[in-house]
Each structure stands twice: as C-alpha cells, then as structure tokens.
Amino acid sequence: MILYYSATGNSMQLALRAAERLGTAAVDIMSLPEGDIDVGGDTLGIVCPVWFYNVPPPVVDALSRIRLREDQQVWAAITCGTTPAACAIRMRRLLEDTGGSPRFVMTYRMPENYIPLFKAPSEEECQIMLSEVDGYVDEIREELMLQDVLLPRSAPFARLLTVCGRPVYDIIRNTRKFRTDGRCTSCGLCEEICPVNAIEVKDDGPVWTKDKCWHCMACINRCPSEAIQYGKRTEGRRRYENPVLRR
C-alpha cells in the first residue's frame, strides 16, 4: 500500500505512478477513517510534499495512528518545489515511530505551488520537471529491490531550516489575507477541496470561516477562474495544478 497526501497533485501523481508500477494500491490519507490505521502487507509507502521544510500535519497525524510489525518495511518519497531542508530526517523519525523497518526516504523536485512566497514555474519548466516522474518511480522500485537501508542525512543549515520552519508555519498560516476578486463565479470548488473545511461559499462568494488553515494552497491554485488571492503578492502570479487533477 502507498498512502499519499497531495494538495495540488504532485505527490498524488508520484503515488499513483508508483502504485501502478509496484502493483499495489494508492490511498489518499484524507480518505482514511479516524482512529488506528490497520496496514496489511509487507511494505508501506508514504508520499507527500514538504511544507515549510517539514512533514505536513495530516501526514504526521496519519503516521501517529499507524502501528506496524517489525517485519513490515516502510519507506517515503517527499516532493518539494525548492529545498526539503531536513524534512527527510523528520520523516525518518516518524517512520521509525510506526514500529516498522524504515528502508529509505527519497526527496524529489517537482513544480512549486506556494505562490505567496515563490513563483510557480512556467508551463515548459513544469513539463520538464514532470517528465522526471517515471524516473523517480524507477528509483523507488530499484531501492525496494535492494536489501540495503538508505536513510537520509542533512547539513546543519538544513536542520536549522526545519527546526525554525515549524513555528514560522504555525504563525503565518492564518486565513485573513485570503480574498476573491471580481472573477469569482461562486462555483464552490474551493469549498469542496478545502481539507480543513475552512471555506464556505455564500451569496457573495467564498468566505474563510476559520482563523487558521493548513496553507496547502489548493484553493488558490485550483480556482478555475484564478479569482482567489492571498494579500497582494499573488496578484498576477501564475497558478500551478498538476495535470493529474485538471478537470
């Protein structure tokens, strides 16, 4: 089994491709029931993005509810737009806490989606990066065939980024800067895809009903009319959505 979390489709694409090549199932973490998670089989894979140089909260929560046998192998593949910093180290510790046998934690570069801080790549750049996905899957499959354990290491500055990233993330993940412009059609997609139910579409358009959200950027990137903004920094910036999610 492969468990994945994805907001704009990068990790979903990698998980689906890997599941297809490995002959297993890919399951969205957001579809899992509450309580303990029963994982059968010999191997469990985790695929997710980097958020502020750390493992996303929904993935941390899911891994805290998984208990594996010592003879069950567990691995992870992390996607990132800039740098993963020491996110792989954090992931390794979470895998160890499941009680299973960690095999490897890989990091793969894919198109950036956190547009309040970074610019999304051009369409040509995205195509180049996404063309590497099959190669990533080949690398995962090869590592699973090997008997060696490949666990990550990181430089001191990378570890500092990850340590500092979490409190910064907790501070900035407010919703007060989200707004819509005149292009909004009240289609309801943002409300539908928000993983924490922080959006409600009313007569005059979407309203963010919670003080904080995950800042997954699904709403702003996947809005079909590009009507959602975060302050002024996203005005005129290119949005990004992986082709696997395009309707």
Side-chain angles (χ1 to χ4, degrees):
M1 179 189 293
I2 295 175
L3 298 179
Y4 71 89
Y5 176 78
S6 189
T8 54
N10 286 336
S11 295
M12 179 181 181
Q13 183 186 38
L14 180 57
L16 293 177
R17 292 279 186 89
E20 181 181 2
R21 297 286 291 277
L22 296 173
T24 188
V27 179
D28 186 347
I29 280 176
M30 297 305 296
S31 70
L32 295 173
E34 296 182 0
D36 295 341
I37 300 171
D38 183 20
V39 178
D42 298 326
T43 305
L44 171 66
I46 305 293
V47 182
C48 70
V50 173
W51 283 1
F52 274 76
Y53 315 117
N54 276 277
V55 181
V59 181
V60 175
D61 173 69
L63 286 170
S64 72
R65 295 185 285 123
I66 292 173
R67 290 294 175 266
L68 300 178
R69 304 184 310 271
E70 189 175 350
D71 62 333
Q72 287 179 293
Q73 298 179 348
V74 57
W75 57 271
I78 302 171
T79 63
C80 64
T82 51
T83 173
C87 180
I89 301 291
R90 171 67 171 145
M91 176 62 81
R92 182 198 71 189
R93 292 169 181 163
L94 291 170
L95 298 185
E96 291 172 344
D97 289 343
T98 66
S101 299
R103 285 291 310 281
F104 57 84
V105 180
M106 300 287 198
T107 57
Y108 297 111
R109 187 164 182 259
M110 297 186 80
E112 178 63 62
N113 79 337
Y114 197 76
I115 61 173
L117 290 182
F118 306 101
K119 291 183 178 180
S122 67
E123 185 65 30
E124 182 180 2
E125 290 171 326
C126 288
Q127 290 177 0
I128 292 172
M129 281 187 273
L130 296 179
S131 70
E132 301 291 331
V133 170
D134 284 340
Y136 298 160
V137 173
D138 287 341
E139 185 175 6
I140 291 170
R141 188 168 66 167
E142 289 172 6
E143 287 297 331
L144 284 170
M145 294 173 64
L146 298 174
Q147 296 301 315
D148 296 337
V149 175
L150 181 63
L151 296 179
R153 297 183 180 183
S154 63
F157 182 68
R159 292 196 293 271
L160 180 63
L161 280 177
T162 295
V163 169
C164 296
R166 179 58 72 197
V168 171
Y169 170 70
D170 288 338
I171 292 171
I172 65 95
R173 62 187 185 94
N174 60 75
T175 62
R176 65 179 179 271
K177 291 185 179 181
F178 282 109
R179 61 181 174 82
T180 57
D181 57 31
R183 293 172 293 179
C184 178
T185 63
S186 296
C187 69
L189 179 63
C190 55
E191 179 180 12
E192 175 187 339
I193 65 177
C194 179
V196 294
N197 300 313
I199 304 173
E200 182 180 349
V201 177
K202 299 187 176 181
D203 292 340
D204 55 351
V207 175
W208 277 258
T209 59
K210 292 185 178 180
D211 293 333
K212 289 191 174 184
C213 69
W214 283 345
H215 267 222
C216 69
M217 296 294 122
C219 63
I220 194 169
N221 281 293
R222 296 178 61 188
C223 173
S225 55
E226 298 187 3
I228 298 176
Q229 306 293 344
Y230 188 75
K232 294 184 178 181
R233 292 184 61 87
T234 60
E235 293 179 359
R237 282 195 171 176
R238 186 176 185 275
R239 271 50 172 163
Y240 172 73
E241 181 181 44
N242 188 287
V244 76
L245 287 175
R246 290 176 186 166
R247 298 187 174 188

